[in-house]
Amino acid sequence: MSSIHDANAQTINKRGVDVLSSLGEKNPKYKTVHHYHVNLSGDFGARRLIFRSEFKRNQFLSILRTIRPDVRITRWS
């Protein structure tokens, strides 16, 4: 955590097939799948954390802000 300099939040929306609900159907059901990313950069280079919920991503950013108040955190979609 001490080597993180920058973090930004990003939401990726992708349209995909709901595999479980469309098994055996000729016309599969499509739905929008949301991925919530945090892109981190620092002394280690760059890394991406992927969360399944917006709440967990925001919780991580809140903890990061508490532990490291000097880290620049930006949010964009």
Side-chain angles (χ1 to χ4, degrees):
M1 294 290 251
S2 63
S3 62
I4 297 173
H5 301 298
D6 183 45
N8 66 52
Q10 179 182 15
T11 302
I12 304 293
N13 299 316
K14 294 183 179 180
R15 188 179 161 135
V17 176
D18 186 1
V19 177
L20 293 177
S21 68
S22 58
L23 286 174
E25 293 184 11
K26 290 183 181 179
N27 298 320
K29 296 177 181 150
Y30 288 88
K31 68 176 191 173
T32 302
V33 179
H34 307 285
H35 295 278
Y36 303 96
H37 297 188
V38 175
N39 301 308
L40 301 172
S41 63
D43 297 337
F44 51 86
R47 297 288 184 267
R48 174 178 286 163
L49 300 176
I50 301 173
F51 296 89
R52 302 287 304 229
S53 74
E54 184 178 14
F55 174 77
K56 288 297 181 183
R57 180 198 61 193
N58 294 341
Q59 189 177 34
F60 171 80
L61 291 173
S62 177
I63 292 168
L64 180 62
R65 179 174 286 135
T66 302
I67 293 172
R68 295 285 317 275
D70 58 324
V71 172
R72 184 175 58 139
I73 298 175
T74 55
R75 295 176 188 243
W76 50 287
S77 45

